[in-house]
Amino acid sequence: MCLGVPMQIMEGDDMSALCARGEETRRVSLLLLGPQEPGTQVLVHIDTAIRVLDAEEARLIEDALCGLEAALRGENFESHFADLIDREPQLPEHLR
């Protein structure tokens, strides 16, 4: 299974950027997005930035990834999905 992860751009040029997520850093391609400012949150998939994220969306994705890790360890994971508690999941507009 492949997952996209939110990462923050630390520095970069027209073609690539050094990005960080927690303690991990890696150089990712910016060819799909173009140059981005340091501090920008991007969704990274297979070492390629595929989309710019706003802070809230980056947080929700990070929470979901932490929830997945907790579930795999057999720990309580529900608190990581607070945005889904007490409501049914909604399909994106283009799938309705």
Side-chain angles (χ1 to χ4, degrees):
M1 172 172 52
C2 295
L3 295 173
V5 295
M7 298 190 85
Q8 184 175 40
I9 293 178
M10 307 307 288
E11 61 183 44
D13 55 35
D14 290 349
M15 299 183 65
S16 68
L18 182 64
C19 294
R21 176 178 179 246
E23 299 296 315
E24 176 188 9
T25 60
R26 70 169 89 157
R27 185 146 298 272
V28 302
S29 170
L30 292 177
L31 293 178
L32 295 177
L33 300 180
Q36 300 294 318
E37 293 294 320
T40 301
Q41 294 276 348
V42 292
L43 186 63
V44 176
H45 181 69
I46 312 175
D47 291 333
T48 301
I50 60 173
R51 187 159 60 90
V52 173
L53 301 172
D54 64 36
E56 177 66 9
E57 188 175 22
R59 185 190 62 78
L60 289 172
I61 294 169
E62 189 63 41
D63 285 351
L65 292 172
C66 290
L68 179 60
E69 290 172 357
L72 290 171
R73 290 190 304 267
E75 299 171 1
N76 183 343
F77 60 87
E78 288 86 359
S79 64
H80 296 283
F81 298 96
D83 62 312
L84 298 178
I85 294 174
D86 297 328
R87 74 170 182 90
E88 289 294 317
Q90 300 295 311
L91 286 173
E93 186 66 37
H94 69 279
L95 294 177
R96 291 183 194 166

